[in-house]
Amino acid sequence: RLASEPHSSAGAPGALVAKAAAQFEALETEDILTMEVVAPSCWSVTARKSGGHDLDNLRKSDVAKTQGFVDVEYELQSVYVEGSAMHKKLPTHGLQLELLQGDV
């Protein structure tokens, strides 16, 4: 199941908070499940807090020990930005990209 939230909000200075939830009632499988963020390849996203769960090997029996909930906080660690610039149809060399924080 995919859980997504179309809107994000500002958290602490420099932070962006997005909350999403997926709920599975009466899960009957004994299969091993995985919880992950599906993000663009240029994003580096990692689990910041997982409540002690191994997110690559979630089992129904392990989740039952925490009243059936797995609460995970993910963190966007970095974003890789690439591109090119042209001046009068010729590539420019040594052009720097400057990222500025603007009003949200």
Side-chain angles (χ1 to χ4, degrees), residues 7 12-13 20 24 31 36 43 53-54 81 84 99 102:
H7 302 289
F24 300 90
D31 293 337
E36 65 180 350
W43 291 12
H53 291 284
D54 178 359
V81 179
S84 61
L99 299 177

Side-chain angles (χ1 to χ4, degrees), residues 14 39 42-48 73-80:
C42 61
W43 291 12
S44 175
V45 179
T46 59
R48 186 172 173 208
E73 185 176 310
Y74 290 96
E75 178 177 52
L76 177 61
Q77 290 188 324
S78 61
V79 177
Y80 177 71

Side-chain angles (χ1 to χ4, degrees), residues 84-100:
S84 61
M86 305 290 276
H87 179 67
K88 296 182 180 180
K89 298 187 179 186
L90 296 172
T92 60
H93 300 286
L95 184 65
Q96 295 183 4
L97 174 67
E98 185 176 0
L99 299 177
L100 303 172

Side-chain angles (χ1 to χ4, degrees), residues 64-76:
K65 295 174 186 174
T66 56
Q67 291 74 41
F69 291 95
V70 177
D71 190 19
V72 182
E73 185 176 310
Y74 290 96
E75 178 177 52
L76 177 61

